[in-house]
Every structure is written in structure tokens, then in C-alpha cells.
Amino acid sequence: MNESNNQIINQLSQRKSIRQFTGQNVSNQALELILKTAQRCPTSINGQQISLVYTKDKEKIKQIAKICGGQMQVETADVFITIVVDFNRTSFAVEQAGEIQQIDKSAEGVLVGAVDAGIMLNAIQISAESLGYGTTAIGAVRNDPEAMIELLNLPTKTFPIVGTTIGFATKEAKEAPLKPRVPLESFAFKDTYNDKKVKDGVLKYEQDMKKYREENNMDYLQSYCTQTATYYKNIYFRKITQNYENQGFAFKD
Amino acid sequence: MNESNNQIINQLSQRKSIRQFTGQNVSNQALELILKTAQRCPTSINGQQISLVYTKDKEKIKQIAKICGGQMQVETADVFITIVVDFNRTSFAVEQAGEIQQIDKSAEGVLVGAVDAGIMLNAIQISAESLGYGTTAIGAVRNDPEAMIELLNLPTKTFPIVGTTIGFATKEAKEAPLKPRVPLESFAFKDTYNDKKVKDGVLKYEQDMKKYREENNMDYLQSYCTQTATYYKNIYFRKITQNYENQGFAFKD
């Protein structure tokens, strides 16, 4: 194990979300390499209940940006990939075996799809970043799932759960400092969860982020507690349950 | 972009789940590097609503294996990491800002936690694999969430959603052939989802997997359709909704 020669540890340790793009084209060859590399990631029971819809069409990307609440980071991306939970594929497979799929109508199915989507998202981003591109995960496809479903022509038993931008980072975005994380000892626990360490970690992080903002002249950023409160005191995306149900899912059992 | 020199593309393209371990020790130094590297992965709104509980304690790993339905691949792993959805951390942060967290009581919150868990899981596995270890994602922590919650001492607003093994692969496991995936054109779509390609892809994959089993003397493996049906004709993990609710979550709005 030689840490310094390990491109993977190096890349992952330096990862940051990129929200400003040069507009330079991501080649079709690179995009295909990203897609096929990411496809090697694991899926629960090898069910492969994830599909991707990618677009480089500027007009479509603009529509997606609008659905996501008008995000400039989406609008200016060269590629947008929607990660789609796909129990339509598995349903057809189950039918081929003479059975009827039930898992999509359960909390377990919803969770499998969501966790697998996260795995795929990370694999896409790491692949893209290894080729020199920048990315940001976009949860805001859930801002208006109905509109995404219509735009991407998604059938029942599928759900557009998260997306990612891909593009060339601007120099400024590339050189931005790494944002701290909560202290490692408040994030990863040996054997059992430690509530006190979690809370101490939040308080320490609040200080670390204050220092980070000061050192980097980023006074415009909110503190961790304030930003988290701004989002999480509300249920900022509604209609999720209804949209899941409309697509044939159920969170039960 | 030089594909052949790209360790990341190379590693991800060769990834496979490792279910047989030599029993060799994963050093604490390596484990810490894996944890801190993975922590750099993105989380929704930088909320950091994921915590990890790792164990190298053989007795505890045995207990986890039992909770997971008696899985030998868990029992023989050197390290087990449980990925915990952690809205306890964010709840404390929101309180610091004088507000009350609502997001944990919504479908959006459940999805954010699950997607972020998948992202973290993949980052852990890719980091571990870059150091020469093998891993397999373990969804079966959801076989008995109550038991996991008790074992890991998880408070309300947290959920043990998925886990991963880490260990040294046996020679046999390391040299096993790569399992095919559904055809790329049935997995990744330009601009809009294509139902026909998905279904054609399942039928093609059924043939590809037949060939794979024959070529590798793996007649003991089920076909994709049969295996998917075996799992998905049932809701194989029950009590998920109840357990989420017991932990203070709700899938609504």
C-alpha cells in the first residue's frame, strides 16, 4: 500500500462538487467510457434495477435545469445524467420466469432502488472525475418528478431519483479549497454509535467551517447548522410519496 | 485522457464482489485511510446525514452475520462497516440554529438518506479496493433492523440501511471471471427511456449469462430472470416501514 502513488485515494481525497463549467464539450467517447465503467458497480441481488438517461442536448438540459428549480449549475453543464430506479426491467425479467414482481410495492424495494442509485451515482462521478471532468449530484430532479417522468418518457415502475452534471470545471471552481467535513471521530465509530461524539462533532464542525469561511473570504456561505436548518426545518420537496405511488411503488411492509 | 494508464477506470472496470476472504488482517491504518477517504464523498446539501459503524471484532462480526440471515461472507470478513442514515446529527445541527427538523418525517428525507448511503457505500468500497481489499455490499442488515439497531446502539432518527464487508480476497475469488451486465444500450439511454431496448436487453442478457455459466462451469448459478424472480416475487424483508417509523421516520408528503 503506497498512499502517495494511489490515484484513487488521491482523487477521492481531493473530490469537490463542481458547479461552474467552461462549456467545453465532453466527447461521446468519454461519455461512453464513463457509462460503461459505472455499469460495473454492484446492484442488489445483481438485479440491475438502475437505468440511466443522459443528455447533451442543450435545450433538454435547459428544461431539466428548469425542472430542478432553475439551477444555473445544471443549465451550464455539458452533460446531465438522470439515475432512474428501474423495476420495469426486473418486472419483465420476473415475468419471463413465470412469476409476478412484488418487491416494487414495498419499502424494501424503494430502499433497494435508492441505495443502488447512490452507488451508481458515485461510480459515474468517480469515473468522470478520473477523466478530468467535474460533477455535482443533483437531488432536485425530485423537485418535480412528474415533469422529469414526462420529459424522459419514464414508464411505470421507474423513478427519476437523482442526477448528476458533468462538464469541464472552470479554473476558479477547480482551484476552490476543499470544504471540511465533520471530525472523523464523530462520523465513523468503532463497534457502537456514540451520540455524544456526534453532537461534539457538530459543534466542532461549526467552528471549523467558520474558520474555513474566514480564511477563504466566503462570508456568503451559511454555517453548517444554519444551512442545515434552512433546508431541514421544512419538507422542501413535496409530492414524493404521491409520485412514487403514481409510478406503481408503495412504501409498506 | 489515456484510458490504459487510468487506475480508476481500470479498477472500476474490473470490479467484482468478493465473498471469500483469507482471514488476513486489515490494518487499522488502512481502515482509517478508507474511512477518511470515503468521507470526502458528497452528501445532499452537505448535510452529512451518514455515519459509519465499523467493527473488526470477530464476535460482533459473527453476530452481524447472524442478523444478516447467517451469511458466511459476512462471518469470514475481517471488517464489517454499517452505513447508518443519520438524521440525528442534522437534528442537533438544526436545533443549534433554533429550529426543529422536519425532513426526517418525509419521503424526501428517507430518499436523501438512502441515496447518500449508496454514495458512501461505493466510496468506501472503491477506496478499500484501491488498497487491494475485496468487498461486498450487504443489504441484509435490513433482514432484522431492530437487532442491528440494538447491536450498534443506534438512537432515534438513524437507520442501519446497508453494510459492506472488507477483507483479503482468496485467490479463487480474485481470479473469478467478471459477471456480464445487461447490454449498455439497454441500460443507458440518450434523452429518453426506451422500454423496448430494456426488454430486448433482458432477453439478450439471459443468453449472455447462459454462455457465461457454461464457459465458467457455473451451472449452479440461476439465470438472471430466475434469480430475479426468486427474490422479487416476494417481499423478502418485511418490517422495514415499521422499523423506519419506530426510529422516527415517515414516508409521507
Side-chain angles (χ1 to χ4, degrees):
Chain A
M1 174 182 105
N2 186 329
E3 192 174 334
S4 61
N5 287 339
N6 188 320
Q7 286 177 9
I8 295 171
I9 296 292
N10 289 346
Q11 177 183 303
L12 270 61
S13 301
Q14 297 300 316
R15 192 213 69 81
K16 55 193 153 200
S17 294
I18 297 293
R19 298 190 169 86
Q20 292 173 309
F21 301 105
T22 62
Q24 199 184 329
N25 183 45
V26 174
S27 74
N28 290 333
Q29 187 200 357
L31 180 56
E32 187 178 329
L33 181 58
I34 292 165
L35 297 171
K36 83 176 188 202
T37 302
Q39 200 193 3
R40 294 292 329 158
C41 75
T43 60
S44 188
I45 72 147
N46 190 37
Q48 301 181 62
Q49 45 272 326
I50 298 292
S51 289
L52 305 178
V53 182
Y54 61 90
T55 187
K56 294 181 71 179
D57 180 310
K58 295 290 175 197
E59 202 45 54
K60 284 222 165 61
I61 289 177
K62 209 173 278 187
Q63 285 177 270
I64 292 171
K66 200 173 159 194
I67 291 170
C68 293
Q71 293 201 27
M72 187 55 70
Q73 63 172 326
V74 175
E75 193 171 329
T76 58
D78 194 56
V79 178
F80 190 88
I81 302 179
T82 306
I83 290 91
V84 177
V85 173
D86 193 350
F87 283 102
N88 177 51
R89 172 178 297 116
T90 54
S91 175
F92 181 72
V94 173
E95 270 174 38
Q96 300 311 299
E99 303 284 355
I100 295 169
Q101 178 173 270
Q102 299 296 340
I103 199 66
D104 48 324
K105 287 170 196 66
S106 71
E108 170 62 16
V110 170
L111 294 186
V112 160
V115 171
D116 280 5
I119 293 171
M120 183 66 74
L121 174 70
N122 195 241
I124 291 169
Q125 293 192 329
I126 289 175
S127 301
E129 288 156 8
S130 82
L131 300 176
Y133 302 111
T135 69
T136 293
I138 305 292
V141 296
R142 299 188 302 273
N143 181 49
D144 188 353
E146 270 179 289
M148 284 299 290
I149 288 163
E150 195 187 333
L151 183 69
L152 306 184
N153 195 28
L154 297 178
T156 184
K157 300 178 188 175
T158 67
F159 199 85
I161 193 169
V162 67
T164 184
T165 55
I166 304 180
F168 278 95
T170 61
K171 189 167 175 294
E172 194 189 351
K174 203 180 288 178
E175 291 174 357
L178 282 185
K179 199 181 281 181
R181 292 286 183 266
V182 295
L184 186 64
E185 68 273 15
S186 76
F187 157 72
F189 306 104
K190 186 165 175 292
D191 296 330
T192 50
Y193 186 94
N194 189 315
D195 184 59
K196 184 175 184 317
K197 284 187 184 171
V198 168
K199 288 171 178 167
D200 289 348
V202 168
L203 299 176
K204 174 71 164 56
Y205 187 56
E206 200 67 350
Q207 294 308 309
D208 292 347
M209 280 299 291
K210 187 165 186 280
K211 205 174 147 206
Y212 168 83
R213 291 196 304 277
E214 285 169 0
E215 283 175 359
N216 297 291
N217 300 312
M218 290 179 167
D219 292 345
Y220 54 89
L221 287 183
Q222 289 181 312
S223 88
Y224 173 65
C225 292
T226 305
Q227 174 169 299
T228 304
T230 302
Y231 283 97
Y232 289 171
K233 72 181 177 185
N234 299 309
I235 299 170
Y236 51 88
F237 295 148
R238 300 269 175 172
K239 303 187 295 180
I240 299 284
T241 305
Q242 190 56 55
N243 274 287
Y244 257 79
E245 287 174 2
N246 290 349
Q247 289 296 99
F249 294 95
F251 198 88
K252 63 184 179 65
D253 285 318
Chain B
M1 174 183 105
N2 185 329
E3 191 174 335
S4 61
N5 286 340
N6 187 321
Q7 286 177 9
I8 296 171
I9 296 293
N10 289 346
Q11 178 183 303
L12 270 60
S13 301
Q14 298 299 315
R15 194 213 67 82
K16 56 193 152 200
S17 295
I18 297 294
R19 299 189 169 85
Q20 292 173 308
F21 301 105
T22 62
Q24 199 183 330
N25 182 44
V26 174
S27 73
N28 291 333
Q29 187 200 358
L31 180 56
E32 187 178 329
L33 181 57
I34 292 164
L35 298 171
K36 82 176 188 202
T37 303
Q39 200 193 2
R40 295 292 329 157
C41 75
T43 59
S44 188
I45 72 146
N46 190 37
Q48 302 181 62
Q49 45 272 325
I50 298 292
S51 289
L52 305 178
V53 182
Y54 61 91
T55 188
K56 294 181 70 180
D57 180 311
K58 295 290 175 198
E59 202 45 54
K60 283 222 165 60
I61 289 177
K62 209 173 277 186
Q63 285 178 272
I64 292 171
K66 201 174 158 194
I67 291 170
C68 294
Q71 293 201 28
M72 187 56 69
Q73 63 172 326
V74 175
E75 193 172 328
T76 59
D78 194 56
V79 178
F80 191 88
I81 302 179
T82 307
I83 290 90
V84 177
V85 173
D86 193 351
F87 283 102
N88 177 51
R89 172 178 296 116
T90 54
S91 175
F92 181 72
V94 172
E95 269 174 38
Q96 299 311 299
E99 303 283 355
I100 295 169
Q101 178 173 270
Q102 299 295 340
I103 198 67
D104 49 324
K105 288 170 196 66
S106 71
E108 170 62 15
V110 170
L111 294 185
V112 161
V115 171
D116 280 5
I119 293 171
M120 183 67 74
L121 174 70
N122 197 239
I124 291 169
Q125 293 192 329
I126 289 174
S127 301
E129 288 156 7
S130 83
L131 300 176
Y133 303 110
T135 69
T136 293
I138 304 293
V141 296
R142 299 187 302 272
N143 181 48
D144 188 353
E146 270 179 289
M148 285 299 290
I149 287 163
E150 195 187 333
L151 183 69
L152 306 184
N153 194 27
L154 297 179
T156 184
K157 301 179 186 174
T158 67
F159 199 85
I161 193 169
V162 67
T164 184
T165 55
I166 304 180
F168 278 95
T170 62
K171 190 166 176 293
E172 194 188 352
K174 203 180 288 179
E175 291 174 356
L178 283 184
K179 199 180 281 180
R181 291 287 183 264
V182 296
L184 186 64
E185 68 273 16
S186 75
F187 156 73
F189 306 104
K190 187 166 174 293
D191 296 329
T192 51
Y193 186 94
N194 189 316
D195 184 60
K196 185 175 184 315
K197 283 188 184 171
V198 168
K199 288 172 178 166
D200 288 348
V202 168
L203 299 176
K204 174 70 164 55
Y205 187 56
E206 200 68 350
Q207 294 307 309
D208 292 347
M209 280 298 291
K210 187 166 186 281
K211 205 173 148 206
Y212 168 84
R213 291 196 304 277
E214 285 170 0
E215 283 175 359
N216 297 291
N217 300 312
M218 291 180 167
D219 292 346
Y220 54 89
L221 287 183
Q222 289 181 312
S223 88
Y224 173 65
C225 292
T226 305
Q227 173 168 300
T228 305
T230 302
Y231 282 97
Y232 289 172
K233 72 181 177 187
N234 299 310
I235 299 170
Y236 51 88
F237 295 148
R238 300 270 176 172
K239 304 186 294 180
I240 299 283
T241 306
Q242 190 56 54
N243 274 287
Y244 257 79
E245 287 173 2
N246 290 349
Q247 289 296 98
F249 294 95
F251 198 89
K252 63 185 178 63
D253 286 317

